[in-house]
Amino acid sequence: MGQFQLYFQLGIQHILDIKGFDHILFVVALCAIYITRDWKKILILVTAFTIGHSITLALATLKLVKVDSDWVEFLIPTTIAITAVSNIFKPKPSSGRGIQINYFFALFFGLIHGLGFSNYLRSLLGKEASLFEPLLAFNLGLEVGQLVIVAIFMVVSGILVGIVGINRKDWALVISSIVLGMAIMMMTLSIARPSCSA
């Protein structure tokens, strides 16, 4: 197996790994207020998130940026909670063509998630002579993994909202509330760790 394929697969596996479900929760929170016909907006969200985490993933992996991993572990669920709260107060996207707040969340919070990805990737790279190809492959793998998550979520949403007839607003509120509850638990656990309180 070539280096590119190896890191591409690792990127997909990392974002789909249930142990790292924080990234899955964030992608679900981003998409919770959208339905299938909003696919262009969803594509912008996923791309913005990829751009955000690609920047800090590269910077942190190259050791140009260093943030304490305990802070990263707290900030990631914080980004999820903020996105979920935003959905609860505005459970439908605006109909205008302007820049929506979720686009900002995807890009800016993607920067924070990239720091989380970098801890994992840096442990894999070891003594690779060149970092460009592994970084590119890993990011593309993450993007494909995100698209898989989005596709599954949007199919479920389409069935429940479009076919079963569940109210779109209620669906967004329920999903966002569940995600918020899980994010708060993750934040609490990260604070409770001895290294965070030291």
Side-chain angles (χ1 to χ4, degrees):
M1 181 186 294
Q3 184 189 53
F4 187 92
Q5 187 180 356
L6 171 66
Y7 283 98
F8 179 78
Q9 288 184 358
L10 286 170
I12 295 175
Q13 290 167 7
H14 184 60
I15 199 151
L16 296 180
D17 186 356
I18 199 66
K19 292 176 188 171
F21 69 96
D22 48 350
H23 304 300
I24 295 174
L25 280 181
F26 183 68
V27 172
V28 167
L30 280 177
C31 297
I33 62 173
Y34 298 98
I35 55 176
T36 313
R37 70 169 178 249
D38 298 321
W39 65 270
K40 288 182 182 175
K41 294 176 181 176
I42 295 165
L43 195 57
I44 293 171
L45 280 174
V46 174
T47 303
F49 182 50
T50 299
I51 290 168
H53 70 63
S54 296
I55 292 168
T56 47
L57 177 56
L59 292 175
T61 304
L62 295 168
K63 298 182 180 176
L64 298 173
V65 168
K66 185 171 169 125
V67 179
D68 188 288
S69 61
D70 291 333
W71 276 107
V72 175
E73 285 184 31
F74 175 76
L75 289 172
I76 287 175
T78 302
T79 66
I80 299 166
I82 292 169
T83 306
V85 167
S86 173
N87 291 346
I88 290 167
F89 285 102
K90 192 177 180 186
K92 284 179 85 173
S94 59
S95 54
R97 294 189 176 186
I99 295 175
Q100 300 181 17
I101 193 163
N102 269 17
Y103 297 167
F104 170 77
F105 286 160
L107 179 62
F108 182 70
F109 292 163
L111 295 170
I112 295 168
H113 284 249
L115 295 170
F117 292 135
S118 71
N119 292 332
Y120 171 77
L121 182 59
R122 206 166 31 232
S123 68
L124 294 174
L125 286 171
K127 296 180 180 178
E128 294 284 2
S130 170
L131 296 181
F132 176 76
E133 188 176 350
L135 272 170
L136 176 63
F138 190 76
N139 270 310
L140 290 174
L142 290 174
E143 174 79 350
V144 170
Q146 287 164 194
L147 291 172
V148 169
I149 295 164
V150 169
I152 293 169
F153 181 76
M154 296 318 295
V155 166
V156 172
S157 294
I159 291 169
L160 293 177
V161 175
I163 298 172
V164 176
I166 292 175
N167 181 280
R168 176 180 177 175
K169 183 177 177 182
D170 292 344
W171 169 250
L173 286 171
V174 167
I175 292 297
S176 299
S177 298
I178 292 169
V179 169
L180 176 61
M182 293 176 78
I184 290 171
M185 282 173 45
M186 291 164 61
M187 289 163 66
T188 305
L189 288 172
S190 73
I191 293 171
R193 287 193 191 104
S195 56
C196 291
S197 55

